[in-house]
Amino acid sequence: MTEKLLEAVRQGRPHEVPELLGTLEAAEREALPARLKPIRAEVRGWGWERGERRRRVRHALLVAGAGCHTGAAATASWIGARDLRDRQAPPHQLVLSVLRGRDPRWLGDVAHRLAGRAATVRADYPLIHGLVQRSGCPVPVTDGYVHGWVDSLARKRVLGDLSADPQAAVLVPRLFRTAELPDWLVWQEGWVAALAALPGAGVVAREVLVDGCVARLPRGGSPSEVRFLLELLRALELTEEEESARTADWAGIAAHAPSTAAAHAQAVLGRLAMAGGLSARQLAEVSSSVLFRAEKKLVRSQLVLVGKALRRDAGAAGELLPVVAEVFGHADTALQERALKLVGPHLSRVGPEVRAALADSAVVLLSPAHRAAAEEVFGALPEPEGAGAAYVELLPPPPEPRPLSPAAEGPELVEEVTALLHSFDPDAMDTERALDGLVRAAHDDPGALREALLPLLPGLWWYDGGLLDARHLRGVQLFAAALAGRVGLDELRRPPGAPARRYCVHERLAHVPLARAREAAFRALTDPLPFLLATPTWRTGGLEPSVLVERLAAYRRLGVRPGTHDVAQALLRVRRTGPGVREAAEAAAALGTAEGGRLAAWLAEGAGFGPVVRTRAEPPRPGSAGSSAGAGAPGRRIEVGTRENLVVQHGFPPAFRPLGRPWTWTGRDGACHCRPGGAGDGLAVLPQDRETLAAWLLPLVSRCADAGERGGALALPALAEGGGEAGPALRLALACGLGARHAEDRLAAVDTLLLLAARGELDAGGLGGDLAELVAVGTVKVNRLADALRTTAASGAYATVWAVLAGALPGLLGGEVPRGTGEILAVAADCAERCGAATRADGAAPPGLAELAARGGSTRLVAQARRLAGALR
């Protein structure tokens, strides 16, 4: 019967396994795991083309192994094995059937071991719950089991009465202590009502739910999690005594929790304060934290609450006014004004020491726009310290070029290769360094290198099985696979060719290092190279011309035939302008080799790919929905293009030729569908042509702004460190990055702006004009741009930001003023005040500002326009 069982497993018939297991003797069951392991190892190497059969065999193996193991640890380990699972749920009922009749304590042990396996417990909840019911053991309380319980209830679509669930009393308190709240708990309707009904049914104490929510809120979480917790608190309808008993918790939530939770805590604290439940000192401590927050709505609400408290208790002024004075330094001058107006009526109720401290805060912190109002409150005030000193711009020092370390050798090389083999997204420069080390080692002793690499390969997804297609591997993986015999010589010998025309430009860039790695691997097996020519000198990917000349000279001495792809990549990486280029060209020509002549001609020409950038207006097409780069103005779009490069198209290997094709992006076509993070790999291919790379990166960066994607701007700082012109394409990509939706992309753009400014390569006026144009076509939203420029200015670059805004404001104020421009004007006014823009060459008031400042009303737009106009007088 053992053979019949094994045949059922091999054929993938899991439903036959329980009956066949039941016919085996104890000795036969004990011997079965050793017979199953070869089948398990074989299935592990099957590819996707045998996916359905693999799934059935895995399920049969899972059931058979669970039924034949005798130890609880071994059984749990077999059931939880990742290689016996796929996207479909395991056959839990079959597993339960083969475990029928086991000792209850043993079943409970297995259940808790499975509940402790974080990777599989959620998927195995039906099995674990079944084992818990059969064994009568305590309910597991691991995070995964709690999530699985919620999942099982959510599958019923309509929640029933939780008080009837025997696990609710144990698992509901654990809900609030999991690392993350279960998804269905916050998404599915009915959970709030079901949980709120448990105290009345006597299942869970009311304090458990209240304390669980209150303790969880300061931790933050997703907006849906916070919303769920607040809804549950509102459903519980806390009494005044319950709220008062948790005053310290509300204070912590108001200070640190997300804004929605903080607003709720702020309202609770307001009720307690008005009812006399908060002392002046307690209110001052809470206000000190809340008024420090960036959310203006919370700050305004807290100032209102403090004002009510001051009117209710005049004696609290000594405690509360110093806290209010902290708002004098808020970034929003409207809040500064509100705080000043709050201090004025109560100033007579404090002593001279407090009054003097408040006056000092006004001098140091208040915007110059409020100087006159402050003197009406405090009387004559001294000038701020350093008021007459010349403004000094604070920019970060330009980054020093970082050399790429020489190739590693011996154990250090093996260590680096191990890390790269297991890396999902290896660094391009680390790959270059390791690839050069592998080439050198293969030239010196290929046998020793193979012996060192082979132990590293088992367990990698591509190692088990037969020969591989070289297109599925890259860099160090391809080289190691070739040495291990997993990629045949015929496959490596076949020219990689050029990517299809339908491929986007980033896929064309990615094809270059693949072709070069294939060439390096082929030469290592047939005609080893002593080293690679194109290994960068700097971590930017740049290659010094003198270094390349030395390498070509070494090849000539050794009589080595260079790799065609290696030479082509070296030409694209070599520095073509600056000191020493002319001398290197002469030395290359003197070598008398074909490669030396190519290098000399390439350096003498000194031209890059050369992007062309232009903006144009088009009449709206009938029924047009607008463009991805211009939802706000469907009749306009920004075009970016790169010229045809005939040298690359006709003089480089096929894998490089698509880079020389003319390319155009219109802002609304499907030019690129790459993952944003992959665009940075192209920096290593064209490190001396950042304008070209910036144009090619633009589709990804613009999607960060107009489509809200994440990560497309992260390559901008590295791009700015590269060589070549910093022109309109880089400027346009930077402008899109400053308007990105996600903070990490905007911060990368801020770093890029500061880096270019520090290197003297920033065309601030041109950048401002691009920003105004991008706002006009709808790519960039004003509020995001204001946040990025405010962050830039806060680093000390007030004059730089003012120069950018001086170029942007004429476009922003020239027609219909975009919504949110008040935020931009606030940043501009702050920068103008701090850098003394009125005395600068770019300090003229932009067209439209005077008319805007002359409008009636006190909106933020008008108020900040008046402030900026005053700063420029």
Side-chain angles (χ1 to χ4, degrees):
M1 296 304 293
T2 299
E3 295 303 324
K4 288 186 177 181
L5 174 59
L6 292 174
E7 182 63 20
V9 171
R10 290 192 186 95
Q11 295 302 318
R13 301 194 296 267
H15 290 279
E16 298 180 12
V17 171
E19 182 178 352
L20 292 171
L21 270 175
T23 63
L24 299 183
E25 299 292 338
E28 292 176 307
R29 286 195 178 210
E30 291 179 5
L32 190 58
R35 305 286 300 276
L36 294 175
K37 288 181 179 179
I39 305 176
R40 179 177 174 180
E42 178 186 352
V43 173
R44 193 183 298 127
W46 288 358
W48 61 268
E49 69 280 357
R50 305 171 73 178
E52 177 57 26
R53 187 183 174 195
R54 180 178 59 187
R55 181 190 65 79
R56 290 187 280 105
V57 174
R58 281 175 170 175
H59 285 186
L61 280 167
L62 184 65
V63 177
C68 66
H69 280 91
T70 56
T75 303
S77 178
W78 184 276
I79 294 173
R82 298 298 297 270
D83 65 321
L84 296 180
R85 296 169 176 268
D86 50 34
R87 295 182 179 179
Q88 293 193 17
H92 294 131
Q93 292 303 317
L94 295 178
V95 175
L96 284 171
S97 68
V98 299
L99 297 180
R100 185 180 296 112
R102 298 289 187 103
D103 179 68
R105 288 181 297 178
W106 185 90
L107 293 175
D109 191 2
V110 172
H112 278 266
R113 289 178 183 274
L114 290 173
R117 300 178 69 90
T120 56
V121 54
R122 190 167 177 177
D124 283 344
Y125 172 80
L127 170 61
I128 302 170
H129 181 50
L131 293 174
V132 170
Q133 288 179 313
R134 289 187 182 182
S135 66
C137 69
V139 175
V141 291
T142 62
D143 283 9
Y145 190 81
V146 174
H147 281 254
W149 175 66
V150 172
D151 292 345
S152 70
L153 295 175
R155 293 189 189 99
K156 300 176 182 178
R157 298 194 177 185
V158 179
L159 286 175
D161 183 6
L162 284 184
S163 63
D165 190 318
Q167 297 188 106
V170 177
L171 297 182
V172 166
R174 294 290 308 179
L175 284 174
F176 304 99
R177 285 180 277 182
T178 54
E180 295 180 355
L181 289 178
D183 294 336
W184 285 112
L185 187 70
V186 299
W187 292 345
Q188 188 179 33
E189 293 184 6
W191 277 97
V192 170
L195 291 172
L198 291 178
V203 176
V204 175
R206 179 180 173 86
E207 290 75 14
V208 169
L209 299 179
V210 176
D211 290 339
C213 292
V214 171
R216 184 93 192 191
L217 281 171
R219 295 170 54 181
S222 67
S224 56
E225 289 183 1
V226 174
R227 183 172 58 251
F228 165 78
L229 295 170
L230 293 177
E231 288 177 356
L232 181 54
L233 281 175
R234 295 187 185 103
L236 291 170
E237 298 179 347
L238 273 62
T239 64
E240 184 177 340
E241 290 75 19
E242 288 176 320
E243 290 181 339
S244 179
R246 295 169 175 81
T247 299
D249 296 312
W250 301 123
I253 294 170
H256 306 296
S259 58
T260 51
H264 177 85
Q266 191 179 49
V268 174
L269 291 168
R271 290 195 297 271
L272 294 175
M274 292 302 98
L278 284 184
S279 67
R281 181 174 294 277
Q282 287 177 311
L283 180 58
E285 291 175 352
V286 170
S287 299
S288 180
S289 299
V290 176
L291 294 176
F292 189 73
R293 294 186 62 131
E295 298 93 337
K296 300 173 188 176
K297 184 176 180 180
L298 292 176
V299 175
R300 282 195 297 268
S301 298
Q302 196 66 24
L303 289 175
V304 170
L305 174 59
V306 171
K308 291 179 179 179
L310 287 170
R311 289 192 294 272
R312 181 177 175 274
D313 180 10
E319 293 278 2
L320 296 178
L321 290 188
V323 175
V324 174
E326 295 177 11
V327 186
F328 290 170
H330 199 279
D332 188 343
T333 55
L335 290 174
Q336 293 182 14
E337 182 180 13
R338 185 184 289 260
L340 184 61
K341 289 180 178 179
L342 179 58
V343 168
H346 304 281
L347 196 59
S348 60
R349 299 172 182 173
V350 299
E353 292 184 1
V354 175
R355 183 186 179 96
L358 294 173
D360 289 342
S361 297
V363 170
V364 174
L365 301 177
L366 277 176
S367 164
H370 300 312
R371 175 80 181 186
E375 290 188 338
E376 290 181 7
V377 173
F378 296 103
L381 294 173
E383 289 294 325
E385 185 177 352
Y391 170 76
V392 178
E393 182 83 340
L394 297 178
L395 290 173
E400 294 291 333
R402 293 178 298 156
L404 184 67
S405 302
E409 300 177 354
E412 183 184 354
L413 175 63
V414 173
E415 183 178 343
E416 290 184 6
V417 170
T418 302
L420 291 170
L421 287 174
H422 290 85
S423 174
F424 174 73
D425 192 15
D427 178 78
M429 290 300 101
D430 291 342
T431 298
E432 284 290 334
R433 182 169 179 264
L435 196 61
D436 187 38
L438 288 170
V439 167
R440 293 171 183 266
H443 178 271
D444 295 340
D445 192 344
L449 177 61
R450 187 177 291 106
E451 290 181 6
L453 291 182
L454 284 178
L456 310 178
L457 307 184
L460 297 172
W461 66 268
W462 50 264
Y463 181 69
D464 295 322
L467 294 177
L468 294 164
D469 188 333
R471 293 174 300 177
H472 298 158
L473 300 170
R474 60 178 180 171
V476 171
Q477 287 184 340
L478 177 58
F479 199 99
L483 286 182
R486 291 295 187 268
V487 179
L489 274 178
D490 290 339
E491 171 70 13
L492 293 172
R493 183 182 293 110
R494 184 164 53 249
R501 286 186 174 272
R502 68 178 183 274
Y503 286 178
C504 82
V505 68
H506 305 112
E507 290 170 313
R508 300 178 200 172
L509 281 168
H511 204 72
V512 169
L514 294 179
R516 184 159 164 264
R518 182 197 291 249
E519 177 185 73
F522 179 75
R523 292 293 297 269
L525 296 176
T526 58
D527 183 14
L529 295 168
F531 52 83
L532 292 175
L533 294 172
T535 303
T537 311
W538 309 103
R539 289 203 67 88
T540 59
L543 174 59
E544 285 299 306
S546 59
V547 173
L548 181 53
V549 171
E550 292 175 2
R551 292 174 182 173
L552 288 174
Y555 265 46
R556 186 187 64 174
R557 290 194 304 271
L558 296 172
V560 176
R561 176 175 56 88
T564 56
H565 294 85
D566 195 28
V567 171
Q569 177 63 93
L571 292 178
L572 294 182
R573 283 179 174 164
V574 71
R575 179 170 57 82
R576 303 187 298 270
T577 59
V581 172
R582 181 178 178 181
E583 293 80 357
E586 294 173 353
L591 291 176
T593 63
E595 289 74 23
R598 286 186 66 187
L599 174 59
W602 184 260
L603 293 176
E605 181 180 350
F609 282 69
V612 177
V613 180
R614 66 180 182 273
T615 303
R616 74 180 189 182
E618 292 184 338
R621 295 181 299 170
S624 172
S627 73
S628 65
R636 305 173 69 184
R637 69 181 184 182
I638 293 178
E639 280 195 353
V640 179
T642 52
R643 295 196 302 262
E644 185 176 38
N645 191 308
L646 295 178
V647 174
V648 172
Q649 285 206 56
H650 300 306
F652 278 60
F656 291 77
R657 292 171 190 169
L659 302 181
R661 296 177 191 157
W663 176 86
T664 301
W665 177 67
T666 64
R668 68 181 175 195
D669 55 15
C672 175
H673 301 284
C674 288
R675 61 184 180 88
D681 296 342
L683 304 180
V685 178
L686 293 174
Q688 305 300 333
D689 292 276
R690 54 181 171 177
E691 268 292 274
T692 300
L693 287 174
W696 292 347
L697 184 66
L698 193 55
L700 297 179
V701 185
S702 70
R703 291 195 329 230
C704 292
D706 60 15
E709 294 190 4
R710 187 189 300 268
L714 299 183
L716 286 175
L719 179 61
E721 288 190 51
E725 180 190 4
L730 179 56
R731 201 175 62 217
L732 195 58
L734 171 58
C736 288
L738 291 171
R741 175 183 179 183
H742 296 285
E744 59 266 33
D745 287 298
R746 293 198 299 273
L747 287 175
V750 167
D751 290 342
T752 305
L753 193 161
L754 293 171
L755 189 153
L756 292 174
R759 292 172 60 162
E761 298 175 334
L762 179 67
D763 178 3
L767 176 60
D770 289 340
L771 288 169
E773 185 66 24
L774 289 171
V775 170
V777 301
T779 300
V780 168
K781 291 180 171 56
V782 175
N783 61 327
R784 298 173 185 169
L785 174 61
D787 176 77
L789 293 179
R790 186 182 297 111
T791 302
T792 308
S795 70
Y798 295 100
T800 299
V801 175
W802 166 249
V804 172
L805 287 172
L809 288 175
L812 294 175
L813 305 181
E816 183 179 352
V817 179
R819 182 179 180 182
T821 303
E823 294 293 328
I824 290 286
L825 290 175
V827 178
D830 189 40
C831 292
E833 291 167 352
R834 291 176 181 268
C835 73
T839 63
R840 294 169 54 90
D842 54 10
L849 180 65
E851 293 80 358
L852 190 58
R855 288 184 187 179
S858 58
T859 63
R860 181 166 180 76
L861 176 65
V862 174
Q864 295 302 324
R866 292 170 183 162
R867 178 188 171 197
L868 177 58
L872 295 177
R873 292 194 187 99

